[in-house]
Amino acid sequence: MKHSFDHYWARIGLVCLSYVLALGLLFSQQASQEFVFIILVLPLAVTAFAFGPLVGVGFGLMTGTTFSVMMLLNPNWSVMGFTQPLLNILIYLAIGAGFGLLHINRKKSGDEDEEKHDAWEHALDIQLKLDPKGQVIESNLRARNVLGSATHFFDFVHPEEKDTAKEQLEYAFARDESRWTLRVVDINQLSIPVEAQLIRDNEQLMLELHDLSELYKIERRLSEAEARYRVVIEDAIASLDTGILVMDRNQEVIYANDALGHILGVNQERLVGRDLNRMLDEAKPNFLSPDITEKIAETAEASQMTIGIQNGKGPRIFDFNSIPISTERYQGGRIDYYHDITEIKKLEKDLRQKTTRLEAANERLEAFTHVVSHDLKEPLRSLEMFSGYIIEDYEHLLDEEGKDYLSSIGRAAKRMKGLIEDLLELASIGRLNEPKEQVNINQVLDDVMHDLEASLEGVKVNLPPTSLPDVVVNRTRIEQLFANLISNGVKYNDKTEKQIDISWEPTTKEFRFCVRDNGIGIEKEYVGSRIFELFERLNPHQDNYESTGAGLAICKRIVEEYGGKIWAESKFGEGSAFYFTLPKPKTKVVNQHETAKNLAG
């Protein structure tokens, strides 16, 4: 701003001076018309050139008017034959506008030069102007801050770089441009790496120095980090139990860890730099199947095989894998690794043996279950049947106590028979290969309500307002699950108005169902997982509820068979709520019953 301000007052001073000179000339002698015309043109031109076309037109109008008045006062005046005052005014206007346009061009050129110089002065890089001998003609602010008041190119060039700098200076004058990296010394005598560029501009050289210190720091840090990580990775690979071998496209070993030497029974230091075939020939006697070394050597693509090797640990089994190296920077070679799977193979063998023994035990258990079921249920049927016969046929010979004894025997036999059937049912869940299908829960509840129609008489059953979802299960098992929970809600209910509420809601991966009743509830100590254990009863302290104690255990086994969970919430005396989850179907499963019907049709 101060710079522009100073120029403004300088222009005003110049204009004033031109008018003073013009007036002095006018009063110095007797003026003719032509002399007056020329004298008035001079300050007008200076004013217009100094302040632009608008000021030039204004002063031209004023000067032309003044000259016209002078012509009117001197009727004999004429300038170059022009005697009309208006025409003289137009001439002065044209002169003022013309010199004003010259002002615009001069100002525009001056502003551009000033902007360029200002940008050069405040550039982030070091910039200097040199003469052919390397003398500093001018330097920008960055150069002065870093290099101080250097007067010659070699004043700030590092001593070890001066010969190269001299060559580049001569090269730039000869070829107009030169670019290279060098070191300079700042005002604190510190060495700075820079990228130098010399560009010839007539008889001068424009020198630009770009500071590379931060770039070099980053590169150094990256290099140090890469070196550290390389050491860590190499140490980690070297400490693996898996044998690692890397070879180039010529099958020459370029890396092998310690484990590989132990596995193959050769010195690890002798592996690197050797041909793969020579390495395998040395290790060949240790292979349980020596011919397999030929397959390893001929491997060109990704491959996998199981091999046996005799080493210091005895006969071992290895999983051999070979992976070709194929990247943007490198094509060819491969990575082989030998992973010891001896223990895994032993576990697999043990597992197969145990599975075979378990299958045999299951077969014997299944046969035993059917035999026991038949042998136990037959005497129980006899007890139940004959106790009934005695009560009917010999009622007149029995007193009340005898009748109670026989009734107790019949009830116990009936309960025992039900318990055996429940145990068989529980044992069959998950053991048999039961077919699964996509089942709609609405249809399941319809069938359950129909089957329990007699026991649900007088019971209010509330179904959810929205349609229930489809699940992939065994239809019989899911009907059994709902039937058991609904029956429990009716059986263990002392209310005058019995009520069962069925609801559901979706979660991220499963459906959650709830069967709630307003019955007697469950005591606090039984609400956890205990009530789902075998032979546990919902109300163990009362004998007026007939139960085998296996119903909830069966429900738990069914839910867990399909990957769900079951739990209960209850307040004693107010009712219970049984929750269970079933997974959402991942894919649509064809309904096997519908398929059978379609095939039959």
Side-chain angles (χ1 to χ4, degrees), residues 403-449:
K403 292 177 182 179
D404 288 341
Y405 288 157
L406 289 173
S407 296
S408 296
I409 293 172
R411 287 196 302 270
K414 183 178 180 181
R415 183 178 173 186
M416 180 64 74
K417 186 172 67 174
L419 180 58
I420 292 172
E421 290 175 350
D422 285 346
L423 289 174
L424 291 173
E425 186 69 23
L426 186 64
S428 66
I429 298 173
R431 182 170 53 83
L432 303 175
N433 187 19
E434 298 174 334
K436 297 179 183 179
E437 57 184 299
Q438 188 156 307
V439 177
N440 182 262
I441 301 300
N442 291 298
Q443 298 174 358
V444 168
L445 289 177
D446 287 344
D447 293 343
V448 170
M449 296 300 166

Short mmCIF file of all heavy atoms in Angstrom, two decimals, residues 403-449:
data_model
loop_
_atom_site.label_atom_id
_atom_site.label_comp_id
_atom_site.label_asym_id
_atom_site.label_seq_id
_atom_site.Cartn_x
_atom_site.Cartn_y
_atom_site.Cartn_z
N LYS A 403 -58.52 -101.98 47.92
CA LYS A 403 -58.78 -101.34 46.63
C LYS A 403 -57.77 -100.21 46.36
O LYS A 403 -57.30 -100.04 45.23
CB LYS A 403 -60.20 -100.77 46.62
CG LYS A 403 -61.28 -101.83 46.64
CD LYS A 403 -62.65 -101.18 46.70
CE LYS A 403 -63.77 -102.24 46.77
NZ LYS A 403 -65.11 -101.64 46.86
N ASP A 404 -57.42 -99.43 47.40
CA ASP A 404 -56.45 -98.35 47.22
C ASP A 404 -55.08 -98.90 46.83
O ASP A 404 -54.38 -98.33 45.98
CB ASP A 404 -56.32 -97.54 48.51
CG ASP A 404 -57.55 -96.67 48.75
OD1 ASP A 404 -58.29 -96.43 47.77
OD2 ASP A 404 -57.74 -96.23 49.90
N TYR A 405 -54.69 -100.02 47.46
CA TYR A 405 -53.40 -100.63 47.13
C TYR A 405 -53.36 -101.02 45.65
O TYR A 405 -52.38 -100.76 44.94
CB TYR A 405 -53.15 -101.85 48.00
CG TYR A 405 -52.82 -101.52 49.44
CD1 TYR A 405 -53.03 -102.46 50.46
CD2 TYR A 405 -52.32 -100.27 49.79
CE1 TYR A 405 -52.75 -102.16 51.79
CE2 TYR A 405 -52.03 -99.97 51.12
CZ TYR A 405 -52.24 -100.91 52.11
OH TYR A 405 -51.97 -100.61 53.40
N LEU A 406 -54.42 -101.68 45.20
CA LEU A 406 -54.45 -102.14 43.80
C LEU A 406 -54.49 -100.94 42.83
O LEU A 406 -53.85 -100.97 41.77
CB LEU A 406 -55.66 -103.04 43.57
CG LEU A 406 -55.58 -104.42 44.23
CD1 LEU A 406 -56.90 -105.16 44.09
CD2 LEU A 406 -54.47 -105.26 43.60
N SER A 407 -55.22 -99.89 43.19
CA SER A 407 -55.26 -98.70 42.34
C SER A 407 -53.88 -98.06 42.26
O SER A 407 -53.44 -97.60 41.19
CB SER A 407 -56.27 -97.69 42.89
OG SER A 407 -57.58 -98.23 42.85
N SER A 408 -53.16 -98.03 43.39
CA SER A 408 -51.81 -97.46 43.39
C SER A 408 -50.88 -98.26 42.50
O SER A 408 -50.03 -97.71 41.78
CB SER A 408 -51.27 -97.41 44.82
OG SER A 408 -52.05 -96.54 45.62
N ILE A 409 -51.04 -99.61 42.55
CA ILE A 409 -50.22 -100.47 41.69
C ILE A 409 -50.49 -100.16 40.22
O ILE A 409 -49.57 -100.04 39.39
CB ILE A 409 -50.48 -101.95 42.00
CG1 ILE A 409 -49.97 -102.29 43.40
CG2 ILE A 409 -49.82 -102.85 40.96
CD1 ILE A 409 -50.35 -103.69 43.86
N GLY A 410 -51.75 -99.97 39.87
CA GLY A 410 -52.10 -99.70 38.47
C GLY A 410 -51.55 -98.36 38.01
O GLY A 410 -51.02 -98.22 36.90
N ARG A 411 -51.69 -97.34 38.90
CA ARG A 411 -51.17 -96.01 38.52
C ARG A 411 -49.66 -96.04 38.38
O ARG A 411 -49.09 -95.42 37.48
CB ARG A 411 -51.59 -94.98 39.58
CG ARG A 411 -53.07 -94.61 39.52
CD ARG A 411 -53.33 -93.32 40.31
NE ARG A 411 -52.91 -93.47 41.70
CZ ARG A 411 -53.70 -93.91 42.68
NH1 ARG A 411 -54.95 -94.28 42.40
NH2 ARG A 411 -53.24 -93.98 43.92
N ALA A 412 -48.98 -96.76 39.30
CA ALA A 412 -47.52 -96.83 39.22
C ALA A 412 -47.07 -97.53 37.95
O ALA A 412 -46.09 -97.12 37.30
CB ALA A 412 -46.97 -97.55 40.45
N ALA A 413 -47.78 -98.59 37.58
CA ALA A 413 -47.42 -99.30 36.34
C ALA A 413 -47.63 -98.42 35.12
O ALA A 413 -46.82 -98.39 34.19
CB ALA A 413 -48.25 -100.58 36.23
N LYS A 414 -48.77 -97.68 35.15
CA LYS A 414 -49.05 -96.78 34.02
C LYS A 414 -47.99 -95.69 33.91
O LYS A 414 -47.53 -95.35 32.83
CB LYS A 414 -50.43 -96.18 34.21
CG LYS A 414 -50.88 -95.28 33.07
CD LYS A 414 -52.29 -94.77 33.31
CE LYS A 414 -52.74 -93.88 32.16
NZ LYS A 414 -54.10 -93.34 32.39
N ARG A 415 -47.60 -95.12 35.08
CA ARG A 415 -46.59 -94.07 35.08
C ARG A 415 -45.24 -94.61 34.62
O ARG A 415 -44.52 -93.95 33.87
CB ARG A 415 -46.49 -93.48 36.49
CG ARG A 415 -45.51 -92.33 36.57
CD ARG A 415 -45.48 -91.77 37.97
NE ARG A 415 -44.43 -90.79 38.10
CZ ARG A 415 -44.08 -90.20 39.24
NH1 ARG A 415 -44.73 -90.52 40.36
NH2 ARG A 415 -43.11 -89.32 39.27
N MET A 416 -44.90 -95.82 35.08
CA MET A 416 -43.64 -96.43 34.66
C MET A 416 -43.61 -96.65 33.15
O MET A 416 -42.60 -96.43 32.49
CB MET A 416 -43.41 -97.73 35.41
CG MET A 416 -42.12 -98.44 35.06
SD MET A 416 -40.66 -97.46 35.49
CE MET A 416 -40.69 -97.68 37.27
N LYS A 417 -44.73 -97.08 32.61
CA LYS A 417 -44.81 -97.31 31.16
C LYS A 417 -44.62 -95.98 30.41
O LYS A 417 -43.91 -95.91 29.39
CB LYS A 417 -46.14 -97.94 30.80
CG LYS A 417 -46.24 -98.34 29.33
CD LYS A 417 -47.50 -99.13 29.05
CE LYS A 417 -48.74 -98.27 29.21
NZ LYS A 417 -49.98 -98.97 28.80
N GLY A 418 -45.25 -94.89 30.91
CA GLY A 418 -45.08 -93.59 30.28
C GLY A 418 -43.64 -93.10 30.37
O GLY A 418 -43.11 -92.49 29.43
N LEU A 419 -43.00 -93.36 31.50
CA LEU A 419 -41.61 -92.96 31.66
C LEU A 419 -40.71 -93.68 30.67
O LEU A 419 -39.80 -93.08 30.07
CB LEU A 419 -41.16 -93.24 33.10
CG LEU A 419 -39.71 -92.88 33.43
CD1 LEU A 419 -39.46 -91.41 33.18
CD2 LEU A 419 -39.40 -93.25 34.88
N ILE A 420 -40.93 -94.97 30.49
CA ILE A 420 -40.13 -95.74 29.52
C ILE A 420 -40.32 -95.18 28.11
O ILE A 420 -39.37 -95.02 27.33
CB ILE A 420 -40.50 -97.23 29.58
CG1 ILE A 420 -40.05 -97.82 30.93
CG2 ILE A 420 -39.88 -97.99 28.43
CD1 ILE A 420 -40.53 -99.22 31.16
N GLU A 421 -41.56 -94.85 27.76
CA GLU A 421 -41.83 -94.31 26.43
C GLU A 421 -41.13 -92.95 26.25
O GLU A 421 -40.57 -92.66 25.18
CB GLU A 421 -43.34 -94.18 26.23
CG GLU A 421 -44.05 -95.52 26.11
CD GLU A 421 -45.56 -95.37 26.05
OE1 GLU A 421 -46.05 -94.23 26.29
OE2 GLU A 421 -46.25 -96.37 25.79
N ASP A 422 -41.16 -92.12 27.33
CA ASP A 422 -40.48 -90.82 27.24
C ASP A 422 -38.97 -90.99 27.09
O ASP A 422 -38.30 -90.25 26.36
CB ASP A 422 -40.79 -89.99 28.48
CG ASP A 422 -42.21 -89.42 28.45
OD1 ASP A 422 -42.82 -89.46 27.36
OD2 ASP A 422 -42.68 -88.94 29.49
N LEU A 423 -38.41 -91.95 27.83
CA LEU A 423 -36.97 -92.20 27.73
C LEU A 423 -36.59 -92.65 26.33
O LEU A 423 -35.56 -92.26 25.79
CB LEU A 423 -36.54 -93.24 28.77
CG LEU A 423 -36.56 -92.76 30.23
CD1 LEU A 423 -36.24 -93.94 31.17
CD2 LEU A 423 -35.56 -91.65 30.45
N LEU A 424 -37.40 -93.51 25.75
CA LEU A 424 -37.14 -93.95 24.38
C LEU A 424 -37.24 -92.78 23.41
O LEU A 424 -36.45 -92.66 22.47
CB LEU A 424 -38.12 -95.05 23.99
CG LEU A 424 -37.94 -96.39 24.69
CD1 LEU A 424 -39.09 -97.33 24.33
CD2 LEU A 424 -36.62 -97.03 24.30
N GLU A 425 -38.23 -91.92 23.66
CA GLU A 425 -38.41 -90.74 22.79
C GLU A 425 -37.21 -89.82 22.90
O GLU A 425 -36.68 -89.31 21.91
CB GLU A 425 -39.68 -90.01 23.20
CG GLU A 425 -40.06 -88.85 22.30
CD GLU A 425 -40.53 -89.31 20.92
OE1 GLU A 425 -40.97 -90.47 20.80
OE2 GLU A 425 -40.42 -88.51 19.98
N LEU A 426 -36.75 -89.59 24.13
CA LEU A 426 -35.60 -88.73 24.37
C LEU A 426 -34.34 -89.28 23.72
O LEU A 426 -33.54 -88.56 23.13
CB LEU A 426 -35.39 -88.55 25.87
CG LEU A 426 -34.32 -87.56 26.32
CD1 LEU A 426 -34.68 -86.15 25.88
CD2 LEU A 426 -34.13 -87.62 27.83
N ALA A 427 -34.15 -90.59 23.81
CA ALA A 427 -32.96 -91.22 23.24
C ALA A 427 -32.97 -91.19 21.72
O ALA A 427 -31.93 -91.21 21.08
CB ALA A 427 -32.86 -92.66 23.73
N SER A 428 -34.17 -91.11 21.12
CA SER A 428 -34.25 -91.16 19.65
C SER A 428 -33.96 -89.81 19.00
O SER A 428 -33.63 -89.74 17.83
CB SER A 428 -35.64 -91.64 19.22
OG SER A 428 -36.64 -90.69 19.58
N ILE A 429 -34.10 -88.71 19.77
CA ILE A 429 -33.89 -87.37 19.20
C ILE A 429 -32.43 -87.19 18.84
O ILE A 429 -31.55 -87.30 19.69
CB ILE A 429 -34.34 -86.28 20.19
CG1 ILE A 429 -35.83 -86.41 20.50
CG2 ILE A 429 -34.04 -84.89 19.63
CD1 ILE A 429 -36.31 -85.46 21.59
N GLY A 430 -32.17 -86.86 17.60
CA GLY A 430 -30.81 -86.63 17.16
C GLY A 430 -30.07 -87.90 16.77
O GLY A 430 -29.05 -87.84 16.08
N ARG A 431 -30.54 -89.04 17.24
CA ARG A 431 -29.85 -90.28 16.92
C ARG A 431 -30.31 -90.82 15.57
O ARG A 431 -29.52 -91.38 14.81
CB ARG A 431 -30.11 -91.32 18.02
CG ARG A 431 -29.40 -92.64 17.81
CD ARG A 431 -29.51 -93.51 19.06
NE ARG A 431 -30.87 -93.67 19.50
CZ ARG A 431 -31.72 -94.58 18.99
NH1 ARG A 431 -31.32 -95.37 18.02
NH2 ARG A 431 -32.95 -94.67 19.44
N LEU A 432 -31.57 -90.63 15.28
CA LEU A 432 -32.11 -91.08 14.00
C LEU A 432 -31.94 -89.98 12.95
O LEU A 432 -31.91 -88.80 13.25
CB LEU A 432 -33.60 -91.42 14.16
CG LEU A 432 -33.93 -92.48 15.22
CD1 LEU A 432 -35.43 -92.63 15.34
CD2 LEU A 432 -33.27 -93.81 14.87
N ASN A 433 -31.81 -90.40 11.72
CA ASN A 433 -31.66 -89.45 10.61
C ASN A 433 -33.04 -88.95 10.20
O ASN A 433 -33.62 -89.40 9.22
CB ASN A 433 -30.94 -90.13 9.44
CG ASN A 433 -30.62 -89.14 8.33
OD1 ASN A 433 -30.60 -87.92 8.57
ND2 ASN A 433 -30.38 -89.63 7.14
N GLU A 434 -33.56 -88.01 10.98
CA GLU A 434 -34.93 -87.55 10.75
C GLU A 434 -34.95 -86.50 9.64
O GLU A 434 -34.12 -85.59 9.63
CB GLU A 434 -35.49 -86.94 12.04
CG GLU A 434 -35.58 -87.93 13.17
CD GLU A 434 -35.98 -87.30 14.49
OE1 GLU A 434 -35.73 -86.09 14.67
OE2 GLU A 434 -36.54 -88.02 15.33
N PRO A 435 -35.88 -86.61 8.70
CA PRO A 435 -35.93 -85.66 7.59
C PRO A 435 -36.35 -84.26 8.06
O PRO A 435 -37.17 -84.12 8.97
CB PRO A 435 -36.98 -86.25 6.65
CG PRO A 435 -37.86 -87.08 7.54
CD PRO A 435 -36.96 -87.61 8.63
N LYS A 436 -35.75 -83.22 7.45
CA LYS A 436 -36.12 -81.84 7.75
C LYS A 436 -36.84 -81.24 6.55
O LYS A 436 -36.58 -81.62 5.40
CB LYS A 436 -34.87 -81.00 8.07
CG LYS A 436 -34.13 -81.45 9.30
CD LYS A 436 -32.90 -80.57 9.53
CE LYS A 436 -32.10 -81.05 10.73
NZ LYS A 436 -30.89 -80.22 10.95
N GLU A 437 -37.71 -80.32 6.83
CA GLU A 437 -38.44 -79.66 5.77
C GLU A 437 -38.81 -78.25 6.22
O GLU A 437 -38.70 -77.91 7.40
CB GLU A 437 -39.71 -80.44 5.43
CG GLU A 437 -40.63 -80.64 6.63
CD GLU A 437 -41.82 -81.50 6.29
OE1 GLU A 437 -42.59 -81.08 5.41
OE2 GLU A 437 -41.97 -82.58 6.89
N GLN A 438 -39.22 -77.44 5.28
CA GLN A 438 -39.67 -76.10 5.61
C GLN A 438 -41.09 -76.18 6.12
O GLN A 438 -42.01 -76.55 5.39
CB GLN A 438 -39.56 -75.18 4.40
CG GLN A 438 -39.84 -73.72 4.74
CD GLN A 438 -39.20 -72.77 3.76
OE1 GLN A 438 -38.00 -72.86 3.50
NE2 GLN A 438 -39.98 -71.88 3.19
N VAL A 439 -41.29 -75.81 7.39
CA VAL A 439 -42.57 -75.98 8.06
C VAL A 439 -43.11 -74.62 8.46
O VAL A 439 -42.37 -73.79 9.00
CB VAL A 439 -42.40 -76.88 9.32
CG1 VAL A 439 -43.71 -76.99 10.06
CG2 VAL A 439 -41.88 -78.24 8.93
N ASN A 440 -44.39 -74.40 8.23
CA ASN A 440 -45.04 -73.18 8.66
C ASN A 440 -45.62 -73.38 10.05
O ASN A 440 -46.38 -74.31 10.29
CB ASN A 440 -46.15 -72.77 7.68
CG ASN A 440 -46.81 -71.46 8.08
OD1 ASN A 440 -47.85 -71.46 8.71
ND2 ASN A 440 -46.17 -70.34 7.72
N ILE A 441 -45.26 -72.50 11.00
CA ILE A 441 -45.67 -72.66 12.40
C ILE A 441 -47.18 -72.49 12.56
O ILE A 441 -47.79 -73.08 13.46
CB ILE A 441 -44.90 -71.67 13.29
CG1 ILE A 441 -43.38 -71.92 13.17
CG2 ILE A 441 -45.30 -71.81 14.75
CD1 ILE A 441 -42.94 -73.29 13.57
N ASN A 442 -47.83 -71.72 11.69
CA ASN A 442 -49.30 -71.60 11.76
C ASN A 442 -49.96 -72.96 11.58
O ASN A 442 -50.88 -73.34 12.33
CB ASN A 442 -49.80 -70.64 10.68
CG ASN A 442 -49.40 -69.19 10.96
OD1 ASN A 442 -49.79 -68.62 11.96
ND2 ASN A 442 -48.61 -68.62 10.07
N GLN A 443 -49.46 -73.72 10.58
CA GLN A 443 -50.04 -75.05 10.33
C GLN A 443 -49.73 -76.00 11.49
O GLN A 443 -50.56 -76.83 11.87
CB GLN A 443 -49.49 -75.61 9.02
CG GLN A 443 -49.85 -74.77 7.81
CD GLN A 443 -49.18 -75.27 6.54
OE1 GLN A 443 -48.41 -76.23 6.56
NE2 GLN A 443 -49.46 -74.61 5.43
N VAL A 444 -48.53 -75.85 12.06
CA VAL A 444 -48.15 -76.69 13.20
C VAL A 444 -49.12 -76.47 14.36
O VAL A 444 -49.62 -77.43 14.98
CB VAL A 444 -46.70 -76.40 13.62
CG1 VAL A 444 -46.39 -77.05 14.97
CG2 VAL A 444 -45.73 -76.90 12.57
N LEU A 445 -49.40 -75.21 14.68
CA LEU A 445 -50.29 -74.91 15.80
C LEU A 445 -51.72 -75.38 15.53
O LEU A 445 -52.42 -75.81 16.44
CB LEU A 445 -50.27 -73.41 16.09
CG LEU A 445 -48.98 -72.88 16.73
CD1 LEU A 445 -49.04 -71.37 16.91
CD2 LEU A 445 -48.74 -73.55 18.08
N ASP A 446 -52.15 -75.28 14.26
CA ASP A 446 -53.48 -75.81 13.92
C ASP A 446 -53.57 -77.29 14.24
O ASP A 446 -54.56 -77.76 14.83
CB ASP A 446 -53.77 -75.56 12.44
CG ASP A 446 -54.06 -74.10 12.15
OD1 ASP A 446 -54.33 -73.35 13.11
OD2 ASP A 446 -53.98 -73.71 10.96
N ASP A 447 -52.54 -78.05 13.85
CA ASP A 447 -52.55 -79.50 14.11
C ASP A 447 -52.47 -79.79 15.61
O ASP A 447 -53.15 -80.70 16.12
CB ASP A 447 -51.37 -80.16 13.39
CG ASP A 447 -51.51 -80.10 11.87
OD1 ASP A 447 -52.64 -79.85 11.40
OD2 ASP A 447 -50.50 -80.26 11.17
N VAL A 448 -51.64 -79.02 16.34
CA VAL A 448 -51.51 -79.25 17.79
C VAL A 448 -52.83 -78.95 18.49
O VAL A 448 -53.26 -79.71 19.38
CB VAL A 448 -50.37 -78.38 18.36
CG1 VAL A 448 -50.36 -78.41 19.87
CG2 VAL A 448 -49.02 -78.85 17.83
N MET A 449 -53.50 -77.85 18.12
CA MET A 449 -54.79 -77.51 18.73
C MET A 449 -55.83 -78.60 18.47
O MET A 449 -56.65 -78.93 19.34
CB MET A 449 -55.30 -76.17 18.18
CG MET A 449 -54.40 -74.99 18.51
SD MET A 449 -54.21 -74.75 20.28
CE MET A 449 -52.82 -73.64 20.29
#
